[in-house]
Amino acid sequence: MIYYDNSATTMPDASVMDTFVKAGIRFFANPSSLHSPGMEAERLIEKAREQIAELMGVSADEIIFTSGGTESNNLAIKGVASFYRGRGRHIVTTMIEHPSVFEACRDLEKGGYSVTYVKPDEKGLVRKEDIEQAITDETILVSVMHVNNETGAVQPVKEIGKLLKKYPSVLFHVDDVQGFGKVPLDLQAAGVDLLSVSGHKLHGLNGTGFLFKRHGVHVAPLFSGGGQERGVRSGTENAAGIASLAKAIRLLQQSDPEKIRVLTEFIRGQLLKREWVVIHTPLQSAPHILHFSIPGIKGEVLVHALEKEEIIVSTTSACSSKQNKSSRILEAMNVSREHAASAIRISLSRYNIIKEATQFIDALDRIVPVLAKKRNERT
């Protein structure tokens, strides 16, 4: 099988699985318990927290463990909105955010908050000038993703963060689920106050992740409970999952995203030679994502045709793909309905090789004429 859907989820690394199994057996006790097995589990969690913080260049107490990107995004956005509602009730975000950000903001609108959704340009990039123009005296939070999960477009997070320094009452949240470990981001230089990360995008496990929360920044908890994770995220900690997350992040230091880019750019170059391909991913993009259309052939039809060749790709975000709706991101980029309906996304990982890339192109060359012929026969 050629697996090109790594933006949806990655295959867990074998050593990550090994860490999870061993930690789950040895450190099964509740980390909140006072007895020694519980204290051992707590120490395991704190060691993982310190390791992640050191690799990121932040303090350990700025790392809050969660169940993944969706929870981290909701905790950041709804938590800030609730805690700072006395300061203002306006949020600035973009039209191209992941559903866990976009829908969280929609929920807040139902609760009396106002949200400005900044539109990207035709390359899928938002302009810092448009972000600044959207800020009002009521603004308490700006939330902009680092890397778009569909097109791979890298947003000008550092530039946005710098301009927000002129607005000390406005916090800055970055969804870095697709960018973490693939596109460098200096949290200090970018002035990031909150940052979301998910383990299963990093060859870790589903149900693991964290929220970076800068010192001095407050969020109201989403859950009521025992006050774990420094009172921010109640619930018995997943000690084995947290240990496996730290292992996955340590392994990132041994991988080179530019090796992935070489494969992605090879595929891009091959696609550009085919007149029936329209590429939506800009040159300023993450190394692992390539989004394109084959006009006239529906994306889901091509996905299933490739699957018969044991090549796994996707259409839109995995969180939206079963809703049978056209891509909100492509619509915001003014991509035509025909092109949006025929769009597919490939997303690579460090485990992909050049042989797979050539097989993918060969498969397209075989499949597309057949599907085009069938379409013409129907019309």
Side-chain angles (χ1 to χ4, degrees), residues 23-41:
I25 293 172
R26 178 178 173 184
F27 301 97
F28 65 88
N30 192 317
S32 297
S33 298
L34 295 177
H35 49 61
S36 57
M39 295 176 67
E40 283 185 354

Side-chain angles (χ1 to χ4, degrees), residues 70 73-75 77-79 81-82 89 91 93 98-115 117 222:
T70 291
N73 284 336
N74 274 264
L75 178 57
I77 294 166
K78 293 180 178 179
S82 178
R89 295 201 171 198
I91 293 170
T93 188
H98 185 270
S100 59
V101 169
F102 193 82
E103 296 302 327
C105 290
R106 291 293 199 203
D107 287 345
L108 288 174
E109 286 184 291
K110 297 173 185 175
Y113 291 80
S114 61
V115 182
Y117 300 91
L222 296 180

Side-chain angles (χ1 to χ4, degrees), residues 341-353:
S342 64
I344 68 168
R345 176 192 68 184
I346 64 170
S347 45
L348 284 62
S349 81
R350 62 177 180 256
Y351 295 113
N352 292 121
I353 58 177

Side-chain angles (χ1 to χ4, degrees), residues 51 131 203 241 278:
Q51 289 174 340
I131 296 292
H203 300 287
V278 177

Side-chain angles (χ1 to χ4, degrees), residues 42-77:
E42 183 183 25
R43 283 194 290 270
L44 177 71
I45 291 171
E46 294 310 312
K47 180 180 178 181
R49 197 189 312 274
E50 290 169 3
Q51 289 174 340
I52 293 171
E54 182 179 0
L55 291 172
M56 292 180 65
V58 301
S59 298
D61 57 3
E62 294 178 309
I63 302 295
I64 306 298
F65 290 117
T66 68
S67 63
T70 291
E71 185 187 346
S72 294
N73 284 336
N74 274 264
L75 178 57
I77 294 166

